[in-house]
Amino acid sequence: MTIPCIVNNGAGLCYNQGMATSRRDTADSYTQRAHREGYPARSVYKLEEIQKTNPVIKPGDTVLDVGAAPGSWTLYTHRMLLKGKGQIISVDLNPLNLNPVPPTVTAYVGDAFSKEIREKLTSHGPYDAIISDAAPMTTGNRTVDTSKSEWLAEQVVILAQEQLKEHGNLVIKIFQGGGQQQILQTMRGMFRKAKTLKPKACRTDSFETYLIGLDKI
Ligand SMILES: C[S@@+](CC[C@H](N)C(=O)[O-])C[C@H]1O[C@@H](n2cnc3c(N)ncnc32)[C@H](O)[C@@H]1O
């Protein structure tokens, strides 16, 4: 039986009204592994691959995680990357689903780009690394969705221009087809190295990719 997708978040999840499950709810190996390892979402393995191929976070860093809920990237950063040294500021429209919230984490709920939340984020900065897996609630219309994703990515770049330290690193999710090339071009002017990476953990039919900026000028 085919289950209609009511809302697709572009990252591969498909929410159906009245149903708690997705069309692709059959747990894949990444989902099963996330469950075993205590992470609330499989997206953790995208950050793992990014970090293995292009180290962006080191122990002692102050890290800003934008679009952090349910909290896999935040938890992975706490457990595996900071190794108890440093701090993570996490922000999302929704609360983290971490219990307990690790001691290195300060979490804010709200729009990362609103005046009120920006002030709070600025009070913890500047940051050694900014990581953003932020994604819009999608409509199913690819043009609309990529343009919303592009807007989010641009806002993160602006945040990084203001709040990322010299030598700092940046990771941004963007839906392919948006202004990816222009944003990459901007990042090439901000970082000694800037590139695109699509981790293997991205679902095969997902149109997301990641822009990575290393060593801010
Ligand atoms: C794919 S999820 C992030 C998953 C997360 N990295 C993890 O590993 O658990 C994308 C998130 O971006 C958030 N988001 C979208 N727009 C946002 C905004 N303006 N401010 C804060 N969070 C936002 C959504 O609420 C959603 O939770």
Side-chain angles (χ1 to χ4, degrees):
M1 183 180 84
T2 306
I3 299 170
C5 179
I6 308 298
V7 179
N8 186 312
N9 78 347
L13 290 175
C14 180
Y15 302 103
N16 292 282
Q17 284 172 344
M19 302 181 69
T21 56
S22 86
R23 178 164 54 175
R24 288 176 296 157
D25 230 16
T26 322
D28 64 14
S29 61
Y30 288 112
T31 305
Q32 290 175 355
R33 189 177 149 206
H35 186 68
R36 273 198 314 274
E37 295 180 355
Y39 290 104
R42 68 195 289 294
S43 49
V44 58
Y45 304 111
K46 299 173 200 170
L47 180 60
E48 181 187 64
E49 183 178 337
I50 290 168
Q51 173 74 18
K52 276 187 180 153
T53 50
N54 306 273
V56 286
I57 297 168
K58 59 183 184 316
D61 278 355
T62 299
V63 180
L64 174 61
D65 184 357
V66 181
S72 292
W73 281 27
T74 291
L75 186 58
Y76 180 78
T77 300
H78 166 76
R79 279 184 183 169
M80 309 301 289
L81 306 183
L82 295 186
K83 302 183 195 298
K85 293 181 222 132
Q87 57 169 331
I88 310 160
I89 311 305
S90 298
V91 59
D92 200 289
L93 298 170
N94 301 304
L96 297 181
N97 184 15
L98 299 177
N99 191 11
V101 173
T104 49
V105 176
T106 303
Y108 293 108
V109 178
D111 179 348
F113 313 110
S114 66
K115 187 169 179 294
E116 184 197 350
I117 299 283
R118 279 292 291 268
E119 281 170 7
K120 292 186 195 303
L121 302 183
T122 302
S123 72
H124 296 274
Y127 296 91
D128 299 289
I130 298 179
I131 53 176
S132 171
D133 196 23
M137 209 34 168
T138 53
T139 61
N141 177 324
R142 178 127 183 211
T143 309
V144 171
D145 296 340
T146 48
S147 116
K148 286 182 177 174
S149 169
E150 179 183 349
W151 185 85
L152 285 174
E154 284 169 354
Q155 297 310 303
V156 177
V157 169
I158 292 168
L159 197 57
Q161 282 167 336
E162 293 169 5
Q163 288 299 319
L164 193 59
K165 290 180 191 171
E166 188 181 351
H167 302 303
N169 301 317
L170 176 66
V171 175
I172 307 177
K173 167 148 75 190
I174 188 165
F175 293 169
Q176 287 164 288
Q180 183 186 331
Q181 287 311 322
Q182 290 97 307
I183 294 175
L184 192 60
Q185 204 51 41
T186 302
M187 287 172 63
R188 290 205 166 110
M190 288 171 65
F191 295 90
R192 288 189 175 79
K193 198 168 175 189
K195 60 194 283 193
T196 305
L197 176 72
K198 186 170 176 96
K200 293 187 186 69
C202 292
R203 293 185 193 269
T204 42
D205 59 352
S206 155
F207 50 96
E208 68 186 4
T209 192
Y210 291 83
L211 305 178
I212 301 170
L214 300 169
D215 198 358
K216 188 173 177 229
I217 297 163

